[in-house]
Amino acid sequence: MIDEDRGKPYWENRYAEKFRKVRDAAGVPSNVWSMDSRAGAVSETVEATGSLEAARDLATHTTTKTTRRYSRGDGLEASRKIAEARAKKRT
């Protein structure tokens, strides 16, 4: 991730500092961290596609084991979509 002010990768906690400023200015509760938005994106990708691999690629994780830790959904919606796709293929 590139720091827009410096045009270089973020260093140490600079991203977290910027996130806190934006979060506070937007009135988002302080118990919401930047990693929550990352986990949300991973979870939504898994739910929408049924693919842990797609979420892994989005998050630029090396392994799906790491991605699975970020995925906070229960998998119900993904399972439903997969079941519907399988049923559709049979007809």
Side-chain angles (χ1 to χ4, degrees), residues 38 42 55-64 66-68 70:
R38 182 174 173 91
V42 167
R56 178 200 62 210
D57 294 345
L58 170 74
T60 65
H61 292 149
T62 305
T63 67
T64 54
T66 302
T67 309
R68 194 173 287 112
Y70 276 82

Side-chain angles (χ1 to χ4, degrees), residues 25-89:
V28 174
S30 63
N31 65 340
V32 174
W33 297 2
S34 64
M35 70 177 178
D36 294 326
S37 61
R38 182 174 173 91
V42 167
S43 299
E44 287 180 12
T45 299
V46 171
E47 291 295 325
T49 66
S51 172
L52 200 55
E53 290 77 14
R56 178 200 62 210
D57 294 345
L58 170 74
T60 65
H61 292 149
T62 305
T63 67
T64 54
K65 182 178 179 181
T66 302
T67 309
R68 194 173 287 112
R69 289 194 331 232
Y70 276 82
S71 181
R72 296 181 178 170
D74 63 5
L76 179 61
E77 185 62 27
S79 295
R80 184 177 293 125
K81 286 182 180 184
I82 290 168
E84 289 171 1
R86 291 179 68 199
K88 184 177 180 181
K89 186 173 172 95

